[in-house]
Amino acid sequence: FGQPRGFGEAEGGARTGYNTMVYSEPEVQRIGRVAFDIAMKRGKKLVSVEKSNVLEVSQLWKEVMTGMGQEYPDVELEHMYVDNCAMQLVRNPRQFDIIVTGNIFGDILSDEASMLTGSIGMLPSASISEDGPGVYEPVHGSAPDIAGQDLANPLAMVLSAAMMCRYGLDLPEVATTIEACVDRALDKGYRTGDIMQEGCQQVGCKQMGDILLSLLDE
């Protein structure tokens, strides 16, 4: 979080609280570089989300992202206000492939987007740096309340491994194979309890893993 931040007192003695949103040009470039590089490995479509009609920090963000877009002519760059993005995620999520935004906006939008899949047990994640290894893990926690009960959905972890292959190890073919196995398992109607639907077959964590392994062998 930027500085200054804290609590104060307004005229008349009313308490105030304040925070500062700060991004430097090098910070935006660092974040943008990662986003553009990932977009090049996916659908070559990137949406930069900000609030440049109100916030000066967002005006800098938009200016820097626009400049970086000239370095990536193959990537379709779109700018979108954060409030509109929140609405568009609900209205038509398929229009998005990669969204790049600041920490506060991203924290809100990622939670909203997480429910589009029906369960956080389906969501992989990656913390990717400019250089060096990334961290690939499900967005959910360790779920100690169901530990040892064979109830967890393993697909987020499996898909996190696919992300590691695609973005960390530069093995896109392996990533595609893993993702295809997950798709096929779901197409065949296998579901863990968190995503169970009428007409599907409920399986546990271990059985879902065994199903994926069998699909790999096909």
Side-chain angles (χ1 to χ4, degrees):
F1 294 98
Q3 297 292 339
R5 59 181 297 193
F7 297 97
E9 187 174 297
E11 291 185 22
R15 296 180 65 215
T16 62
Y18 53 91
N19 294 87
T20 306
M21 187 177 183
V22 179
Y23 277 97
S24 67
E25 187 169 351
E27 280 182 298
V28 180
Q29 290 172 335
R30 175 180 59 81
I31 297 166
R33 187 81 56 198
V34 173
F36 276 104
D37 287 345
I38 293 175
M40 287 293 294
K41 295 180 179 180
R42 289 178 55 91
K44 297 184 179 179
K45 183 176 181 180
L46 178 65
V47 178
S48 175
V49 174
E50 28 74 8
K51 191 64 176 170
S52 57
N53 59 331
V54 175
L55 302 174
E56 283 78 5
V57 64
S58 284
Q59 293 169 20
L60 174 67
W61 178 284
K62 183 176 182 180
E63 179 184 325
V64 173
M65 286 293 175
T66 300
M68 293 190 68
Q70 299 175 10
E71 302 176 32
Y72 294 83
D74 292 335
V75 175
E76 177 188 347
L77 174 63
E78 180 181 356
H79 299 281
M80 190 175 290
Y81 295 145
V82 63
D83 45 351
N84 183 34
C85 182
M87 182 269 288
Q88 294 293 339
L89 275 171
V90 175
R91 188 184 73 84
N92 180 23
R94 291 182 181 274
Q95 69 184 283
F96 297 101
D97 188 46
I98 302 289
I99 294 175
V100 59
T101 189
N103 183 64
I104 293 176
F105 297 157
D107 192 35
I108 297 168
L109 294 175
S110 61
D111 277 9
E112 178 190 8
S114 71
M115 296 315 298
L116 297 174
T117 63
S119 169
I120 60 174
M122 293 295 298
L123 290 174
S125 76
S127 298
I128 303 174
S129 63
E130 280 186 294
D131 49 20
V135 177
Y136 300 86
E137 60 184 348
V139 300
H140 58 72
S142 58
D145 55 319
I146 59 172
Q149 300 178 47
D150 197 32
L151 296 176
N153 185 340
L155 296 182
M157 187 68 252
V158 173
L159 292 171
S160 294
M163 290 184 74
M164 178 181 68
C165 292
R166 187 180 304 280
Y167 304 119
L169 302 178
D170 198 24
L171 297 171
E173 297 85 0
V174 176
T176 299
T177 299
I178 295 172
E179 292 162 351
C181 286
V182 172
D183 288 342
R184 288 164 62 195
L186 294 172
D187 288 343
K188 288 176 178 290
Y190 297 113
R191 300 285 191 275
T192 48
D194 57 318
I195 55 172
M196 184 58 188
Q197 297 172 288
E198 185 177 350
C200 294
Q201 180 180 343
Q202 185 167 340
V203 298
C205 180
K206 183 179 184 303
Q207 187 177 357
M208 181 65 85
D210 291 340
I211 290 166
L212 294 175
L213 288 174
S214 68
L215 291 172
L216 276 173
D217 292 333
E218 290 184 3

